[in-house]
Amino acid sequence: MDKDRIEGTAKQVKGKIKEDIGKVTGNAETEAEGKAEQAVGKTQDTVGKLKDAARDALKK
């Protein structure tokens, strides 16, 4: 598993927590930051998946 996948997943979780805190506290800025962090995490996770796929393809 690529480190980008691990870091991306961690960012998604952190972003979701931040988004939920923003919702509970009524802080739209924190909620938006959480959503943005989740998007970055999803992108990083996708990059990691592509790297894994490329490595697997080269092994064959």
Side-chain angles (χ1 to χ4, degrees), residues 3-31:
K3 73 173 186 163
D4 283 320
R5 291 182 69 185
I6 295 166
E7 291 175 7
T9 300
K11 285 181 184 177
Q12 288 180 63
V13 171
K14 182 179 172 189
K16 181 64 177 158
I17 292 169
K18 192 180 264 189
E19 177 187 2
D20 290 344
I21 289 170
K23 285 180 181 178
V24 169
T25 61
N27 187 328
E29 185 177 335
T30 301
E31 185 178 346

Side-chain angles (χ1 to χ4, degrees), residues 19-56:
E19 177 187 2
D20 290 344
I21 289 170
K23 285 180 181 178
V24 169
T25 61
N27 187 328
E29 185 177 335
T30 301
E31 185 178 346
E33 287 173 3
K35 287 181 181 180
E37 196 162 347
Q38 287 179 73
V40 169
K42 286 179 185 179
T43 302
Q44 190 171 5
D45 183 52
T46 301
V47 168
K49 287 178 183 175
L50 291 171
K51 286 180 179 179
D52 283 344
R55 266 191 234 104
D56 290 344

